[in-house]
Amino acid sequence: MSSLTDQGDPAAGAALHAAFPEVTSAPVVWRGDVTLQVQPAHEAAVARHARDSLGYELFIDRFGADRGEDAEPRFDVITILYNLQARRRLHLCTTLPGLDPQCPTLVGVFRGADWFEREAFDMYGVRFTGHPDLRRILMPEIFPDFPLRKEYPVEGLGAFAAPRRAIGGNVDGTDGQVAIIGRAPGGPAP
Amino acid sequence: MSDARTLDVEVGDDRHSESMLINMGPQHPSTHGVLRLVLELDGEVVVKAEPVVGYLHRGKEKIGESLSWHQFIPYTDRLDYLAPLANNVAYAVACEKLMGIAAPPRAEAIRVICCELARISAHLLGLGAYAMDLGAMTIFLWTFREREQIYSLIERICGARFTTSYTRIGGLERDLPSDFAALLDAFVREFPGRVDEYESLLTRNKIWLRRTQGIGVISRERALQFGLTGPNLRGSGVEHDLRKAHPYCGYEQYEFDVPVGTTGDCYDRYMVRILEMRESARILRQALDTLPSGPVINRESDAVLKSVLPQKEKVLTNMEALIHQFMVATDSVNAPLGEVYFSAENPKGELGFFLRSDGGLKADRLRIRGPSFANLQVLGEILPGHMVADVMAILGSIDFVMGECDR
């Protein structure tokens, strides 16, 4: 169990915060993971510093997250970097507004961020400014919505909705009940 | 080396013809699944390559936000569907990290056995398909002979051959059957000899060397930039294995080596996988010899009890246990407020789960970091300059699976 809780790197988090005191928060440590809040405009500079000066040269992941329609700032973009020598991991997190979320790209620092940013755009509508080829990657190009946003229903919308299936009662599904994938915990039993 | 090969086939400017656009996949046999490559060709030489993914997207991350923590376990089977047991373990350990639960020692040892069986099985398929795409049909049949044995073992473990769903948060669904040790012992005894057989057909085979050496070279820097993990990263000479770097499930107790390549070409990736299978067999032997006794699921404290499923036999005979099972599976599990990231060394690379909990019954965000997604991205960089026939070699050597790429 100890191994699970010592994967983060508080020292590197503190060093990054010391190098960029204005634009980063103090590192937060929970269950051994170290997360640093970074202002979007300075994320590339912070990541470059982590790569070149602190040894975080392996790009692991970059993805979006939604805190809900009412939250402001609403979106997070989380980046995970890895230090092969120290064998430690570092999380960078930037927060973005709910309306027109924009964030400078990391492609200039880590080439591999390309597809990951396309996915975050595809799922949440986060625009990565400066990205060389920002278009959908997993969803079809004609898909109208951003499916991982909280307001998007799990069974889909419009032409992309899951086929309706009657539960008991009417065969044509006119009772309005939709068989969704599994039962939402806490929700009504099907 | 790859440059030298490229120069052989490059035509002079005066003979340049119009380039041709070819769609390889999503139904091409060598793309194993539904990868589509848009290739721009000049004669037989690839000028530009664009991998197109997403054909197997099933919205797993979205589904994960609508299910309770336990209900998501079967969905992990279908990530890297060549190693479902390893996915089950990675997800369970991620949930345990979030909830602060530790699995008992016997459960951890059995999880190691599961992960290594999954690794061998996945590498066998990768190797078989890789060789078959390059014309060596025999290997494919031989590796499927051993894969059949492994599937029989997996069937003994959890009753299913393919969609295992074997782990539970805090442990395992059931203990190993009494005859399992003997069956696994026989397999581990026999397996190194089988790897010798594969090697006798390939490792020093002139055609195999010609098709793989110097082809699809991925430099160390490029591998790091693109977030390559697993055998593909180690093939490029980076000694990084999460089982060594952050031992989970007690991997620190087992002696094994981390094979690495030197040039990062298709041959190095092949050798890394061959050697990894031998190391996995070593781990299996040690895990089998030192398998501790005791429970396979943590039922020690009340806090844990609320999130751990009761014993299946009791569920079938005892009303309270049945209610408990129902509550845990649908409505309960006390995940604290917070977010964790846990990643495991899966056959294809680093499978990571980022779990964000708002203290509720289910994940607020369930991010799956599939290694094949990152591994495939590098294709656009390394394919140009190679001949079309080499594309099959490179695809085989990358050993991707679309289930975890598209999620």
Side-chain angles (χ1 to χ4, degrees):
Chain A
M1 196 62 201
S2 63
S3 58
L4 295 184
T5 50
D6 62 1
Q7 302 189 346
D9 192 350
L16 263 189
H17 178 52
F20 298 90
E22 306 287 313
V23 298
T24 63
S25 71
V28 177
V29 184
W30 196 69
R31 296 270 200 254
D33 291 343
V34 177
T35 309
L36 210 67
Q37 295 283 338
V38 186
Q39 286 180 15
H42 302 275
E43 195 185 19
V46 172
R48 192 180 299 275
H49 184 76
R51 185 192 71 186
D52 295 340
S53 306
L54 300 172
Y56 281 83
E57 49 184 351
L58 177 59
F59 172 81
I60 294 291
D61 203 356
R62 184 161 162 86
F63 56 94
D66 183 0
R67 300 180 182 190
E69 272 181 282
D70 304 327
E72 194 60 47
R74 177 175 173 181
F75 295 104
D76 295 314
V77 174
I78 298 157
T79 308
I80 301 179
L81 304 177
Y82 193 81
N83 183 331
L84 290 162
Q85 269 69 47
R87 296 182 163 183
R88 287 288 178 269
R89 195 176 279 122
L90 190 65
H91 299 200
L92 303 177
C93 177
T94 65
T95 53
L96 305 172
L99 203 66
D100 191 21
Q102 285 196 20
C103 175
T105 179
L106 266 195
V107 171
V109 187
F110 292 102
R111 298 280 312 282
D114 184 341
W115 277 19
F116 290 84
E117 288 182 354
R118 279 177 64 188
E119 188 187 339
F121 163 71
D122 197 356
M123 296 295 156
Y124 291 99
V126 175
R127 285 193 182 278
F128 292 92
T129 51
H131 188 286
D133 185 23
L134 195 66
R135 57 199 162 88
R136 291 192 180 274
I137 183 162
L138 295 180
M139 303 304 288
E141 273 160 44
I142 53 165
F143 196 78
D145 296 297
F146 300 115
L148 271 179
R149 287 191 177 190
K150 288 288 178 193
E151 70 267 25
Y152 193 82
V154 69
E155 67 270 24
L157 272 182
F160 289 90
R164 281 168 157 272
R165 181 151 59 87
I167 304 163
N170 305 332
V171 183
D172 60 2
T174 47
D175 59 2
Q177 287 195 69
V178 176
I180 56 170
I181 306 156
R183 173 194 162 202
Chain B
M1 185 88 183
S2 102
D3 288 340
R5 276 288 291 272
T6 314
L7 286 176
D8 289 347
V9 294
E10 227 166 60
V11 288
D13 277 346
D14 53 325
R15 285 193 286 158
H16 253 295
S17 53
E18 255 180 56
S19 65
M20 177 169 54
L21 213 59
I22 277 198
N23 252 319
M24 195 171 137
Q27 271 89 27
H28 191 279
S30 85
T31 62
H32 300 291
V34 283
L35 172 70
R36 175 177 159 219
L37 283 172
V38 182
L39 299 175
E40 194 182 323
L41 303 179
D42 179 7
E44 267 201 78
V45 181
V46 178
V47 180
K48 195 169 163 246
E50 197 209 340
V52 181
V53 300
Y55 291 94
L56 205 58
H57 180 59
R58 292 147 294 168
K60 281 195 185 293
E61 293 179 6
K62 185 73 178 177
I63 293 169
E65 291 176 12
S66 72
L67 299 177
S68 77
W69 299 103
H70 263 118
Q71 285 173 333
F72 193 69
I73 293 173
Y75 288 85
T76 63
D77 292 342
R78 286 113 174 131
L79 286 171
D80 173 359
Y81 42 74
L82 303 174
L85 279 171
N87 306 337
N88 296 159
V89 171
Y91 177 71
V93 179
C95 288
E96 286 158 15
K97 181 175 177 180
L98 173 70
M99 294 165 196
I101 303 173
R106 184 173 172 83
E108 293 209 319
I110 296 175
R111 284 177 178 185
V112 167
I113 292 176
C114 290
C115 286
E116 297 312 316
L117 279 177
R119 190 178 323 278
I120 293 177
S121 157
H123 281 1
L124 283 178
L125 185 116
L127 172 67
Y130 181 13
M132 187 173 66
D133 290 347
L134 295 186
M137 188 78 188
T138 315
I139 301 285
F140 184 77
L141 300 173
W142 284 7
T143 59
F144 267 66
R145 180 186 58 193
E146 274 69 70
R147 270 172 60 80
E148 179 60 29
Q149 276 184 296
I150 294 176
Y151 272 127
S152 302
L153 286 171
I154 292 173
E155 190 177 357
R156 293 295 297 143
I157 294 176
C158 61
R161 291 162 66 85
F162 204 64
T163 48
T164 52
S165 304
Y166 180 50
T167 58
R168 297 291 180 268
I169 298 166
L172 302 167
E173 188 254 333
R174 63 174 85 165
D175 205 341
L176 296 175
S178 51
D179 61 347
F180 184 79
L183 293 170
L184 183 61
D185 179 72
F187 174 76
V188 173
R189 238 176 251 283
E190 193 181 79
F191 185 68
R194 300 297 195 188
V195 181
D196 294 341
E197 286 181 10
Y198 314 143
E199 282 213 80
S200 72
L201 282 187
L202 292 179
T203 302
R204 282 175 299 281
N205 177 331
K206 266 195 175 173
I207 302 170
W208 181 255
L209 295 176
R210 197 66 187 126
R211 293 299 306 270
T212 57
Q213 280 187 330
I215 303 294
V217 177
I218 305 174
S219 69
R220 181 183 188 277
E221 286 65 38
R222 187 171 271 172
L224 296 175
Q225 280 268 314
F226 277 87
L228 258 60
T229 47
N232 295 328
L233 179 65
R234 291 190 282 275
S236 296
V238 181
E239 193 183 335
H240 173 55
D241 188 320
L242 290 164
R243 294 172 296 171
K244 287 276 189 202
H246 308 286
Y248 51 96
C249 296
Y251 264 113
E252 67 276 10
Q253 303 162 30
Y254 308 109
E255 247 181 63
F256 64 99
D257 297 321
V258 178
V260 292
T262 47
T263 55
D265 59 8
C266 290
Y267 185 76
D268 278 3
R269 289 190 283 277
Y270 153 76
M271 272 320 289
V272 164
R273 290 200 179 86
I274 286 278
L275 294 171
E276 274 189 25
M277 287 196 282
R278 295 186 185 278
E279 295 303 318
S280 291
R282 264 176 85 188
I283 298 173
L284 281 174
R285 162 61 55 208
Q286 296 169 57
L288 190 60
D289 291 345
T290 60
L291 192 63
S293 55
V296 294
I297 193 156
N298 183 335
R299 300 180 196 283
E300 274 164 19
S301 71
D302 275 356
V304 171
L305 208 60
K306 283 187 181 147
S307 43
V308 171
L309 290 168
Q311 270 178 316
K312 196 72 182 178
E313 302 86 76
K314 284 195 182 159
V315 172
L316 300 174
T317 52
N318 175 308
M319 189 63 188
E320 280 72 32
L322 179 65
I323 295 171
H324 184 189
Q325 154 104 5
F326 181 74
M327 295 301 285
V328 171
T330 61
D331 272 358
S332 85
V333 175
N334 298 345
L337 189 80
E339 54 189 44
V340 295
Y341 177 80
F342 171 77
S343 55
E345 187 66 40
N346 264 36
K348 311 282 185 237
E350 174 169 345
L351 175 69
F353 287 97
F354 175 89
L355 307 176
R356 175 182 279 184
S357 159
D358 54 5
L361 309 168
K362 49 189 177 169
D364 183 51
R365 174 79 170 102
L366 197 160
R367 161 72 180 170
I368 303 161
R369 192 262 179 209
S372 292
F373 186 72
N375 292 349
L376 278 176
Q377 190 180 181
V378 81
L379 283 179
E381 294 275 319
I382 60 172
L383 289 182
H386 287 92
M387 298 187 67
V388 177
D390 292 335
V391 173
M392 283 64 171
I394 294 170
L395 288 181
S397 76
I398 295 282
D399 189 21
F400 55 89
V401 58
M402 297 313 286
E404 67 177 9
C405 171
D406 293 347
R407 284 153 283 144

